[in-house]
Amino acid sequence: MSYSLGRCLRSAPVTSLCCSAEHVGTAPLLRHHCPPPSTRAFWSWPSSRPYSVVRPAIVSPQRTVPDAIRQPEYATTSCPARADRPMLHRTPDTTERMRRACQLAKSVLARGGELCKEGVTTDEIDSVLHEMILQAGAYPSPLNYRKFPKSICTSVNNVLCHGIPDNRALQNGDIVSVDITVYLDGMHGDTCATFAVGEVNEEASRLLQVAEECTQAAIASCAPGMSFSVIPTSVRSVLRDTSFNVSPNITGHGIGKFFHMPPVICHGSPAEAGVMETGMTFTIEPIITTGWPYHRTLKDKWTLVTMDHGRAAQFEHTILITDTGVEILTA
């Protein structure tokens, strides 16, 4: 599950329609300028696309979790604990618990991909995967995290991330990002992939390929002692010869005992200071868009959609920095 910096990177000093109007400089690799003022009305954008622009639908009641299942600190309060430093896995026990959580997340994601078929609603996918997670003795990490109402995130077409499962049925030609995080044995494991529903057009097929290449290139750049800046550099190197962009203010994050914790992993904007250390676990999850990478947040305070209704794809892994390189825990 991605982490938002809560700020907007712009290439021109115009009024922001994103979650914040804080301008922090010019984002690298943005090939499109912001729309002129007369065309910035979100819902009035022309619709001549080979896919459906997704709008909010009906969300079913929040699902329950048995008391017997170990739950994170925010399960009843919706308020996550704050972590001020990265978690370093220095013992075989914590490392193995992370592996188990991440392997469960991988299995749940694979099942989610099988369910991404025409006519299936994202709420139905949430229901099936919720039960699968509970059967494994785990807690679905997104559930009630800062009041998120569902157990997974499903982001369809123009939704960048944090899409809330609802009663909209998937359509032939859609693409849908299924984001899974589970809490097992006191550790969170996080992964995501974007799936094609039926037959998608050439642009969508290429978008999924490039998005996965960006994630793999970023992971390959990681090793102990490496600066976090190698991650956005690797993503930019993949995108350089394409027409796609990377969302500059949706980041990866440290993960382990807590769902979100340091370090913040930037994919398209300048990385935070510091270097990777042996024992660190964090997510790499760039979101790649067909058009402008700018977003707005819908009234549900979670769903992030592209400003121009362009499509977005995301592939995410949780990784562990080892003595010699990197281990992909969700592979």
Side-chain angles (χ1 to χ4, degrees), residues 66-259:
D67 291 339
I69 289 180
R70 183 174 179 178
Q71 303 182 13
E73 76 284 353
Y74 54 82
T76 56
T77 67
S78 77
C79 298
R82 182 179 179 85
D84 296 323
R85 65 187 66 182
M87 180 176 182
L88 298 179
H89 298 271
R90 301 297 196 190
T91 68
D93 173 66
T94 60
T95 302
E96 188 54 36
R97 284 190 287 138
M98 274 297 296
R99 288 194 181 101
R100 288 198 296 268
C102 288
Q103 285 299 299
L104 174 59
K106 172 189 174 181
S107 298
V108 175
L109 178 62
R111 178 63 178 135
E114 295 171 354
L115 296 170
C116 291
K117 299 183 182 299
E118 184 178 4
V120 178
T121 70
T122 51
D123 186 65
E124 289 170 339
I125 297 173
D126 179 82
S127 176
V128 171
L129 300 188
H130 176 87
E131 291 302 321
M132 181 178 179
I133 293 168
L134 298 189
Q135 288 296 319
Y139 181 92
S141 300
L143 188 64
N144 208 35
Y145 179 87
R146 300 190 185 277
K147 300 184 178 180
F148 189 82
K150 290 296 177 180
S151 299
I152 66 172
C153 298
T154 50
S155 303
V156 182
N157 291 339
N158 57 300
V159 180
L160 279 166
C161 62
H162 302 164
I164 298 174
D166 57 29
N167 72 337
R168 177 192 181 274
L170 295 175
Q171 302 173 9
N172 182 59
D174 282 347
I175 61 172
V176 52
S177 297
V178 179
D179 195 338
I180 304 296
T181 314
V182 301
Y183 182 70
L184 179 67
D185 295 335
M187 297 291 174
H188 295 273
D190 194 356
T191 188
C192 175
T194 304
F195 300 96
V197 179
E199 296 184 7
V200 300
N201 66 3
E202 183 178 347
E203 180 186 56
S205 180
R206 177 64 175 155
L207 174 66
L208 267 61
Q209 177 187 348
V210 170
E212 187 165 17
E213 288 175 0
C214 285
T215 298
Q216 293 299 332
I219 292 171
S221 71
C222 296
M226 296 297 291
S227 167
F228 288 109
S229 65
V230 300
I231 294 173
T233 299
S234 298
V235 172
R236 288 197 297 270
S237 69
V238 174
L239 294 179
R240 186 169 292 117
D241 295 325
T242 76
S243 61
F244 302 137
N245 288 301
V246 59
S247 177
N249 58 331
I250 308 300
T251 72
H253 51 89
I255 189 169
K257 180 181 178 181
F258 300 109
F259 193 171

Side-chain angles (χ1 to χ4, degrees), residues 29-32 239 243-247 287-293:
L29 207 73
L30 304 189
R31 298 177 177 79
H32 305 279
L239 294 179
S243 61
F244 302 137
N245 288 301
V246 59
S247 177
I287 298 179
I288 310 304
T289 64
T290 58
W292 294 312

